[in-house]
Each structure stands twice: as structure tokens, then as C-alpha cells.
Amino acid sequence: MRRITLLLLAGILLSLCACRSDFETVPSTGDLSFSKDTVYLDTVFTNLSSSTYTLKVYNHSKNDINIPLIKFAKGFNSKYRMSVDGSQGNQGKMFENITLLAKDSLYIFIETTVESDNTTPTEFLYTDQIEFDGGANLQKVELVTLIQDAILLYPNRNADGTIETLPIGNEKIKGFYLDKNDPIHGNELLFTNKKAYVIYGYATVPEGETVTFESGSRVYFHADSGLIVPKNSSIHINGTTSTSDKLENEVIFSSDRQQPDFNYIPGQWGTIWLQNGSTNNAIQNLTLKNATIGLFIEGNNGTTASIKNTQIYNCTHYGIQAKNALIEGQNIIINYTGQASLACTYGGNYKFTHCTFNNDWSSPEQVALYISNYSVGATPEVKALSEATFNNCIIYGSYSNEMLLDKKTGAAFEYQFNNCLIKFSNTKNADYQFDTDPIHYNAIILNKDPKFFNPNINNFNIDDTSSAFAKGNSVYLIPLDILGITRTLPPDLGAYQSKPFPK
């Protein structure tokens, strides 16, 4: 009897389930809702896949519906591809009879890869539409992508299938040598402004050669990538002053992740590494963003660098890390770095004029400026700091002490700050006697707000209400500011000539 009762209950449950099936749907009537009317896939480079973008489709009705067709307007010729709730459909282009339950939603994931086309301009929009249903019930979502034609530089594969590497000390890294007679790209030591460049691995200048970047050139680095300038080689970055916010004449080094969400994320690529013995390095009008270390300059064998009108932002360690190098810097801005915006370490010779070193990294351990005369290791080795001079500069940031002088006995430690605005609250140490030590400090403005326009977006303009306004010494004048604007007398501190902020 008990078995019969159980069988009867099972039959009733089965009959109830049969009365309501997920496959009992009504046709879609064109009343779908979407999370976006237009999906912007941002800038992608030719021959490289974009990131994946999401579109959510909603059924707000009380009925389970059947969407007879989801496809691209350009059909199988579309350069987009999609998946619908994990299904790849027909080549990622067409999907038939998609069920969407009442009060439910589904996800569509969209990507694109656009092949290089020499008949197109260097930048262009590629568009398509995702179509739902058809006929009278047709609904569309627009797709828009900015495609930038690019030259891809990357390590080759060896005969055994392994990827080309470079020896760095006792280790090897993925990398390759730039070839001035490359059969595909021509002279890889000359970066022009005709196309963008995307670099995978560490591009390396052959010894004795010079790599040159023309005004307006754009270089995008993949993760764990960068540029190496070895002994007896040089880098010349020949950016010029731009006339608009597009920085059309700047040389720009950045990550190959071009989506807006990645604009301010540090550590997306490696570094520009000027190794020991590289020489006559000249950097002008460079904007560098989102690296691990912006410029890593080693100088045990006399590495020299001239750096002018340069902006470095959002680096996980340093904006500029110098080791016993010889650097002259003018109109430099560095911000948002995990350890120090400028680190002059292991001695060396440095002179910076009209520079803005700021650090708004969210840690009390960071500083805007770090100076030392030794190398870190089990047994620290000291080297002479023969000069570290700062004229008409701003040294500021989000914490109370934005400067660290870290010296050890056994080697010279020569430094001087002239007409600088400095944020520093702990003045008990003998090295920080800003008012009573004229050998090292002259005309210091201490702990006054420079009133930058918007440091959150790396805008360090000032106006006439700034504590840095007209506080510079004309003896150290650089006639033009970082934007090419003529400085008035007495000059403002930092890299910018003051101007009214936009209303």
C-alpha cells in the first residue's frame, strides 16, 4: 500500500511539472530591454583582440519568450564576435531560438579583432549592430570601436620553438633587439608618428646604436614589456610642444590597455631602462604612464641623461629611479608612485629646475623625493653624491613628509634646495633645517598648499592664489614652461606658468 501511495505522488508531481515547461514560450514581441543602447569597445589595435565587453538583455514581461534570432547586422562578415549566455552559436555571429525566462536576463559578451588594412587611415571607427528578432519586431544595439593601425614588435621564436630571450645578469627575459634593417618594418630604431607601435617583451637597442622617437609617436607596451638602452647606446625622444589637450606632438609611452578603466592603473608594463654606460640620452616632451618604474637610469659607468618637458604618472615603484647617474632635468612632473616620484640613489650628479615632484599614492610610506648615497644590499656600498640641486621646484604630496635624505658615512652627500616649496613637518633632524642652514636651503616655502588644479587627474596647473605663484628666483629661470608658455618674472615654482583655472 505504501508503494502504491508513493507511485501516485510521483505521478502527480510529474503531471504538475508537465503542465509548466521552460520550453513553453511565446514569441518575442520586440519588447526587450538592454543595459546599453551602444556598446563602445574603446581603442583596439589592428591584429590584436580587444577586451571582452558585456551587454545585458532583459525580459521584463510575465511570459517566457523565444528570441528567434540574434545576429550582427553585417552577418558573418562582421569583425565582431559574441557569445550568448556562454553559447558560441554559429561562429559567434548568429544565434537562433534563444529562450529568455520571464523577469529574467541573459548576458552577451562581445569582442573584436580587426586585421590591418593598408587602404584605411591610421585611425578609424568600425561599427556594427546586434540585431534581435527581425521584421516588425526588430531591435538593435549599436557597436562602436576605434581601430588604430599599429606596428607590432615582439620576440621571435627560435628553431626549437622557444621564445627569444635576452640575458640580464644571471637571468633571461623575453626580449629582442631592434633591427634597423628589418625586412618587414624597415628601420626599427626610428619610431615615427605614422602608426602606433605595440611592444611585447623588452625591445633592446643594439650596442652603439641610437633609438629615436619622432614628435607625435605613440608606443604602447604589453604587460612585462619595456625598452632597454645598453652600454654605448642612446635614446633620443624628440617630442615637441603640443597646441591642444590631445598632446599631438608629445611622445607617449603607455600601456596597450586603452580602455578608460585602465587610465590610472599603475604597473601595467615594465620600464624604460637606461643601463650602465648608455650615453647622450635626451628626452624631450615625453608623457609616460602606468609603468612599474617610469625611467630606470643606471649610471655606474657615466650614464648621462637630459630630461625636459616630461610627465610621468601612475607607477608602482618610481617615476624616475636613478643610480649614480648624471641627470639634468627641466620642467618635469611626476605623480602617483608607490615608493618615490623621484629617487636619486647610490650617489650621482643631479640638477632639477622648475620641476613638480608630487606623490598622492595612498600610503604614508611614499615620498615625492628620495635621495641616498648608497646601494641597498646585505653590505651597503656608498658612492659620492657630488650634486643634488633643486631650483624653483615643488616637492609635495598627500602626506606630511614628502622628502627623505638618506645618507651613510664614507662618501660625499652634497645637496641644495633653492627657492623650493617643500612639504615636510619633521624638522628636528639636522638635515632638515630649512630656515637655519643656508648651505643646503635658500628661500624655502614650507608646508604651504600649491593649490594644484586637479591632482586626481594629474593636472598640476596653478593660478595666482597658489603659494608657488611668483616665488621663483629669476637666476634659475627656464624661459618656457612645460606647455611652451613664457614665464613671467619673478617666475612661478614648478613646471607650469600660472594661469586662471577654467570656470
Side-chain angles (χ1 to χ4, degrees):
M1 185 67 182
R2 185 176 179 183
R3 173 178 283 185
I4 294 173
T5 302
L6 290 173
L7 289 173
L8 286 172
L9 287 172
I12 292 170
L13 289 172
L14 287 172
S15 65
L16 288 173
C17 292
C19 292
R20 178 69 173 87
S21 170
D22 287 343
F23 293 99
E24 289 183 0
T25 60
V26 299
S28 173
T29 57
D31 294 323
L32 299 171
S33 297
F34 308 101
S35 58
K36 302 172 185 175
D37 294 326
T38 303
V39 179
Y40 295 95
L41 279 77
D42 300 308
T43 302
V44 297
F45 300 103
T46 52
N47 301 310
L48 295 179
S49 177
S50 71
S51 295
T52 301
Y53 294 78
T54 303
L55 173 69
K56 202 169 183 180
V57 183
Y58 301 95
N59 173 18
H60 293 302
S61 74
K62 297 180 180 180
N63 299 314
D64 299 346
I65 63 173
N66 176 68
I67 306 172
L69 187 64
I70 301 175
K71 70 179 186 67
F72 292 115
K74 295 181 179 178
F76 290 100
N77 293 322
S78 179
K79 297 184 185 298
Y80 293 104
R81 56 191 177 274
M82 60 180 163
S83 64
V84 177
D85 266 358
S87 171
Q88 301 303 311
N90 190 343
Q91 301 178 43
K93 310 289 186 181
M94 183 179 295
F95 301 78
E96 296 180 308
N97 297 319
I98 302 299
T99 298
L100 182 52
L101 302 181
K103 305 295 183 180
D104 202 355
S105 61
L106 60 81
Y107 283 95
I108 296 180
F109 299 100
I110 308 152
E111 297 177 325
T112 186
T113 303
V114 181
E115 296 178 357
S116 178
D117 183 350
N118 294 329
T119 65
T120 60
T122 56
E123 284 193 349
F124 61 98
L125 287 177
Y126 182 74
T127 62
D128 201 346
Q129 299 167 328
I130 301 177
E131 295 183 343
F132 298 83
D133 293 350
N137 295 328
L138 178 64
Q139 292 181 269
K140 298 180 180 181
V141 172
E142 302 290 332
L143 303 175
V144 179
T145 306
L146 176 63
I147 306 297
Q148 189 167 353
D149 198 4
I151 295 172
L152 308 184
L153 302 176
Y154 50 87
N156 293 316
R157 286 196 176 273
N158 300 313
D160 60 0
T162 59
I163 295 176
E164 184 179 3
T165 59
L166 297 170
I168 301 296
N170 295 324
E171 299 182 2
K172 292 185 177 181
I173 61 173
K174 291 181 181 179
F176 60 97
Y177 285 96
L178 296 168
D179 184 354
K180 64 181 179 181
N181 295 305
D182 185 81
I184 298 174
H185 305 131
N187 186 1
E188 293 179 339
L189 292 172
L190 177 62
F191 287 69
T192 72
N193 55 22
K194 295 178 182 178
K195 290 185 179 183
Y197 295 80
V198 181
I199 292 179
Y200 284 72
Y202 275 85
T204 303
V205 182
E207 185 170 342
E209 300 285 355
T210 298
V211 61
T212 301
F213 297 84
E214 288 186 348
S215 171
S217 57
R218 302 289 189 260
V219 185
Y220 301 96
F221 295 90
H222 194 62
D224 301 318
S225 299
L227 177 68
I228 297 175
V229 183
K231 182 180 178 181
N232 298 325
S233 300
S234 305
I235 182 172
H236 290 171
I237 297 177
N238 299 330
T240 57
T241 303
S242 300
T243 58
S244 75
D245 292 338
K246 294 182 179 180
L247 302 178
E248 67 278 3
N249 296 324
E250 291 272 319
V251 174
I252 296 180
F253 292 168
S254 184
S255 161
D256 64 350
R257 302 297 299 270
Q258 291 296 288
Q259 307 92 300
D261 290 347
F262 288 82
N263 280 348
Y264 299 100
I265 295 179
Q268 296 179 53
W269 56 282
T271 186
I272 306 301
W273 187 358
L274 311 187
Q275 292 185 329
N276 294 339
S278 66
T279 185
N280 297 322
N281 299 302
I283 298 172
Q284 177 119 353
N285 290 87
L286 168 68
T287 295
L288 186 156
K289 302 181 292 184
N290 312 120
T292 301
I293 299 172
L295 300 175
F296 180 33
I297 305 174
E298 291 184 305
N300 295 349
N301 295 321
T303 298
T304 61
S306 170
I307 306 172
K308 299 178 180 180
N309 305 325
T310 291
Q311 306 173 66
I312 301 175
Y313 302 126
N314 308 320
C315 298
T316 49
H317 297 311
Y318 305 98
I320 298 176
Q321 181 185 8
K323 296 180 67 176
N324 197 239
L326 173 60
I327 300 175
E328 181 173 0
Q330 300 175 3
N331 290 333
I332 298 172
I333 302 171
I334 307 177
N335 183 44
Y336 202 75
T337 58
Q339 293 178 255
S341 291
L342 172 65
C344 300
T345 68
Y346 197 34
N349 188 298
Y350 310 99
K351 183 177 180 181
F352 294 95
T353 306
H354 278 294
C355 295
T356 299
F357 301 121
N358 192 78
N359 202 345
D360 287 330
W361 190 273
S362 55
S363 165
E365 309 236 338
Q366 51 76 29
V367 292
L369 174 63
Y370 174 78
I371 302 175
S372 83
N373 64 345
Y374 68 94
S375 63
V376 177
T379 305
E381 180 182 353
V382 296
K383 286 279 188 179
L385 178 69
S386 57
E387 180 181 2
T389 301
F390 297 83
N391 303 316
N392 292 350
C393 292
I394 297 175
I395 300 165
Y396 204 75
S398 54
Y399 289 91
S400 56
N401 296 303
E402 288 294 345
M403 183 171 78
L404 178 58
L405 305 177
D406 189 6
K407 66 180 179 181
K408 293 192 179 296
T409 59
F413 195 88
E414 302 294 336
Y415 61 96
Q416 188 174 61
F417 295 82
N418 302 307
N419 299 82
C420 293
L421 188 157
I422 300 174
K423 189 174 184 181
F424 195 89
S425 63
N426 182 12
T427 57
K428 294 181 180 180
N429 189 301
D431 293 328
Y432 305 98
Q433 300 304 306
F434 301 103
D435 296 327
T436 60
D437 180 5
I439 294 176
H440 297 112
Y441 301 103
N442 295 288
I444 301 302
I445 301 172
L446 195 62
N447 298 322
K448 298 291 185 180
D449 190 350
K451 296 182 180 179
F452 298 127
F453 178 55
N454 193 343
N456 292 329
I457 58 172
N458 295 319
N459 187 331
F460 291 92
N461 278 293
I462 62 172
D463 67 3
D464 58 7
T465 67
S466 171
S467 299
F469 174 73
K471 294 300 193 299
N473 190 327
S474 301
V475 171
Y476 311 118
L477 176 71
I478 305 299
L480 302 180
D481 80 347
I482 193 169
L483 299 179
I485 298 172
T486 301
R487 286 190 166 96
T488 56
L489 299 178
D492 303 327
L493 304 182
Y496 283 107
Q497 167 66 25
S498 58
K499 65 177 182 180
F501 291 155
K503 301 298 183 182

